[in-house]
Amino acid sequence: MKNPALYLIPVTLGDTPVERVIPSFNTTVVSGLKYFIVENVRSARRFLKKCNPDIDIDSLTFYELNKHTNPNQIADYLQPMKSGESMGVISEAGCPAVADPGADVVAIAQEEGYKVVSLVGPSSILMAVMASGFNGQSFAFHGYLPIDAGERAKKLKQLEARAYNEDQTQVFIETPFRNHKLAEDVLQHCKPQTLLCIAMNISCEDESIVTRSVKAWKGKLPDMHKKPTVFLIYRGGK
């Protein structure tokens, strides 16, 4: 019996050519797998075809893991591993299990003692931190902020305080069609000197990663509608 592994397979962050951001080793791994746990079957099939046009998609088995999945069914997805078959985990974009439901099945694999392998690929969070000019030695990713206006304002002030008190970069995201509202909230509730980095369409042809003070951003926000965006705030000068 083989020693199976659960491979965490990063995908492109947009319509970027696979060869630009995905190592050839990943394609070799992908081509040897028959079972995949994916956030969306259609996009996963499309990505696999881009990795290897000769792959026999119809011979593969997909288990869908997203917000609609019954948590009690997730453990059953690893059944092929009990028979010695390795599996792959694929997110909708970027790295699986980071701000992604794939983390649930990875936790189960760890509990069961299976080998878990993280493959190299694009992470919008790390790439945004890299290009922001902020502290890359201490940063915190908070995912989505509260939807309620009052709670969101409170959270933004808390994150800003941490940026100053702990010298820590604060990173968060929003649903693409609500990006502009989030940015406006940052400008409204944060100090004028606080630094805001807006990182859009990372690794894509129209990538934009720009850092300015809250004061400098006012009245000059870019068009972020439906563009995957990472927001970062950090302490500014006096």
Side-chain angles (χ1 to χ4, degrees):
M1 180 177 289
K2 296 181 294 183
N3 294 318
L6 184 68
Y7 289 96
L8 309 183
I9 305 167
V11 303
T12 56
L13 295 171
D15 292 327
T16 308
V18 167
E19 60 273 13
R20 177 174 167 177
V21 293
I22 303 294
S24 58
F25 176 77
N26 292 22
T27 300
T28 301
V29 171
V30 162
S31 299
L33 298 176
K34 298 179 182 178
Y35 301 90
F36 295 89
I37 299 167
V38 304
E39 190 172 1
N40 180 281
V41 173
R42 180 178 296 180
S43 61
R45 288 166 65 100
R46 191 183 312 122
F47 170 71
L48 293 174
K49 265 296 185 183
K50 287 172 67 176
C51 286
N52 179 5
D54 297 324
I55 197 168
D56 183 3
I57 290 290
D58 294 332
S59 70
L60 306 179
T61 300
F62 295 91
Y63 303 88
E64 202 161 50
L65 175 56
N66 51 44
K67 62 183 180 181
H68 304 295
T69 304
N70 183 337
N72 296 323
Q73 296 178 336
I74 297 176
D76 294 336
Y77 288 179
L78 295 177
Q79 195 65 35
M81 298 190 74
K82 294 183 178 180
S83 302
E85 293 284 352
S86 290
M87 302 183 71
V89 180
I90 299 176
S91 176
E92 269 284 78
C95 297
V98 179
D100 176 75
D104 294 334
V105 76
V106 175
I108 294 172
Q110 289 284 7
E111 290 174 6
E112 296 292 331
Y114 290 121
K115 182 178 181 180
V116 177
V117 180
S118 298
L119 297 182
V120 174
S123 164
S124 60
I125 299 165
L126 286 179
M127 295 171 80
V129 171
M130 288 164 62
S132 67
F134 298 167
N135 189 351
Q137 192 156 282
S138 177
F139 59 90
F141 175 63
H142 301 278
Y144 296 92
L145 301 191
I147 295 177
D148 177 79
E151 288 299 314
R152 174 177 287 191
K154 180 180 178 181
K155 186 66 174 181
L156 282 170
K157 290 182 182 298
Q158 290 175 347
L159 299 186
E160 184 182 45
R162 289 185 63 179
Y164 282 86
N165 297 335
E166 302 175 36
D167 188 25
Q168 185 181 69
T169 302
Q170 307 298 312
V171 188
F172 44 94
I173 55 176
E174 180 55 285
T175 302
F177 65 86
R178 290 201 293 256
N179 281 334
H180 193 83
K181 179 64 172 68
L182 175 57
E184 288 285 7
D185 286 345
V186 173
L187 301 191
Q188 179 182 350
H189 299 293
C190 290
K191 301 174 182 178
Q193 70 269 27
T194 292
L195 297 175
L196 166 64
C197 178
I198 298 176
M200 298 186 296
N201 281 345
I202 295 174
S203 80
C204 299
E205 285 295 329
D206 59 343
E207 173 186 270
S208 173
I209 305 177
V210 178
T211 294
R212 294 176 180 166
S213 68
V214 164
K215 181 179 180 180
W217 274 121
K218 289 189 176 180
K220 298 178 182 179
L221 287 173
D223 177 13
M224 295 170 275
H225 188 58
K226 293 187 176 180
K227 297 179 182 179
T229 303
V230 179
F231 298 90
L232 308 89
I233 59 174
Y234 188 55
R235 60 180 177 82
K238 295 181 180 180

